[in-house]
């Protein structure tokens, strides 16, 4: 087994899903395999006690990954990492993925080995080849929810931006059973139906969903200066997601809105399926619009 080492000494994990969201398997190599309790305390703290069953025993770090780490309102991918397609004993079950707190450009695949399997194997040393397999069903659901959240945000903005005092888009959660977008300003309950109708319109138009990489000048050329993160946030995004700092990843719902985003998405809005606006809640000057997909 690879020996525990400082995460800061590891190279940046290449996030393959940023460029090709259709990948469901990936051949890569091990950079490090560390016991969970040997990680820095801050990195152990990425997993809330009792939140994962079974609890992770190790963190596997690879040269590249197709696993989406939890963040940006999107849940973590799940799946497995294998050293041999034919050998079940060499399977590492992945049930949580996060960017390391102590080294944000490094991705930690938290998980465990099947009962009775010891990771003391030649195949699991640094540089060994492995294959990643993500849970395709979970990925598709999360991608549909994430795109649907942007569709909802675009619908609310286009309907209410000039009608609600202090309006702005704040944050969103794209978790199953609790998906919602938050906005500054008080959105009246009677706007639920107009929002639903605009969401339906965007879904029915099958708008392309394009991943692009924009510089600050790109935002300005599209009159979208409001979307440019502050310098510290920009640098944090670039540190986590990209090997260069002059551009960040955006998702362009062609004909609707552009969003700086590191998540996974479907190829066009019709792939979201039926998007239902659930309810509008209001508290302390903010509004929360819940939704789900069927």
């Amino acid at each position: 087994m690879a020996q525990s080492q400082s995460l800061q000494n590891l190279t940046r994990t290449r996030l393959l899903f940023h460029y090709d969201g259709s990948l469901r398997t990936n051949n890569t190599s091990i950079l490090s395999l560390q016991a969970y309790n040997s990680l820095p305390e801050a990195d152990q703290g990425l997993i809330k006690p009792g939140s994962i069953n079974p609890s992770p025993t190790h963190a596997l770090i690879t040269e590249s990954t197709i696993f989406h780490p939890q963040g940006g309102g999107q849940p973590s991918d799940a799946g497995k990492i294998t050293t041999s397609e034919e050998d079940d004993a060499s399977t590492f079950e992945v049930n949580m993925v996060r960017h390391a707190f102590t080294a944000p450009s490094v991705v930690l695949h938290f998980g465990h080995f099947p009962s009775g399997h010891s990771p003391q194997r030649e195949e699991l040393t640094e540089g060994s080849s492995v294959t990643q397999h993500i849970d395709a069903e979970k990925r598709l659901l999360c991608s549909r929810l994430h795109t649907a959240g942007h569709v909802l945000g675009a619908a609310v903005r286009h309907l209410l931006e000039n009608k609600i005092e202090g309006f702005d888009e704040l944050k969103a959660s794209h978790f199953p059973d609790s998906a919602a977008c938050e906005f500054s300003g008080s959105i009246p309950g009677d706007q639920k139906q107009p929002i639903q109708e605009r969401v339906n319109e965007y879904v029915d138009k099958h708008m392309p969903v394009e991943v692009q990489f924009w510089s600050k000048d790109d935002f300005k050329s599209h009159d979208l200066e409001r979307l440019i993160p502050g310098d510290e946030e920009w640098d944090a995004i670039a540190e986590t997601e990209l090997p260069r700092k002059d551009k960040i990843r955006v998702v362009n719902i062609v004909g609707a809105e552009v969003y700086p985003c590191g998540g996974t998405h479907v190829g066009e809005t019709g792939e979201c399926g039926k998007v239902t606006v659930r309810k509008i809640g209001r508290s302390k000057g903010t509004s929360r619009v819940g939704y789900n997909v069927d």
Side-chain angles (χ1 to χ4, degrees), residues 96-267:
M96 174 58 74
V97 185
R98 298 293 300 268
H99 286 283
F101 184 87
T102 59
S105 64
V106 172
V107 172
L108 300 172
H109 303 83
F110 290 104
H112 64 281
F113 293 91
S115 178
H117 169 53
S118 169
Q120 303 288 344
R121 297 173 61 95
E122 183 177 302
E123 298 96 326
L124 295 170
T125 56
E126 180 181 343
S128 297
S129 297
V130 291
T131 302
Q132 299 173 331
H133 314 257
I134 62 169
D135 181 332
E137 184 176 349
K138 181 178 182 182
R139 163 63 71 81
L140 178 58
L141 176 59
C142 291
S143 297
R144 291 172 59 216
L145 282 163
H146 204 147
T147 301
H150 288 339
V151 168
L152 173 61
V156 174
R157 174 173 288 279
H158 289 184
L159 282 170
L160 302 175
E161 179 178 18
N162 298 320
K163 298 178 181 179
I164 302 295
E165 184 178 356
F167 177 88
D168 200 2
E169 295 179 69
L170 298 177
K171 60 182 180 179
S173 169
H174 312 295
F175 281 67
D177 303 321
S178 62
C181 298
E182 294 187 16
F183 306 86
S184 59
S186 182
I187 300 176
D190 63 8
Q191 291 300 309
K192 178 181 175 182
Q193 187 57 36
I195 293 171
Q196 180 69 70
E197 291 172 357
R198 183 63 63 92
V199 167
N200 293 346
E201 176 187 337
Y202 290 165
V203 170
D204 292 344
K205 283 185 175 180
H206 297 270
M207 294 173 163
V209 179
E210 299 179 354
V211 171
Q212 301 167 352
F213 295 86
W214 283 17
S215 67
K216 292 181 180 180
D217 286 340
D218 290 324
F219 285 98
K220 293 175 183 177
S221 69
H222 288 83
D223 295 323
L224 291 172
E225 288 92 340
R226 63 178 172 81
L227 295 178
I228 300 176
D231 290 342
E232 289 188 8
E233 184 181 357
W234 182 285
D235 289 344
I237 292 171
E239 170 68 18
T240 301
E241 299 178 349
L242 296 171
R244 51 190 295 180
K245 290 193 174 184
D246 60 331
K247 294 186 177 183
I248 63 173
R249 187 175 187 264
V250 302
V251 170
N252 182 4
I253 302 178
V254 180
E257 277 293 329
V258 175
Y259 290 93
C261 182
T264 65
H265 292 272
V266 293

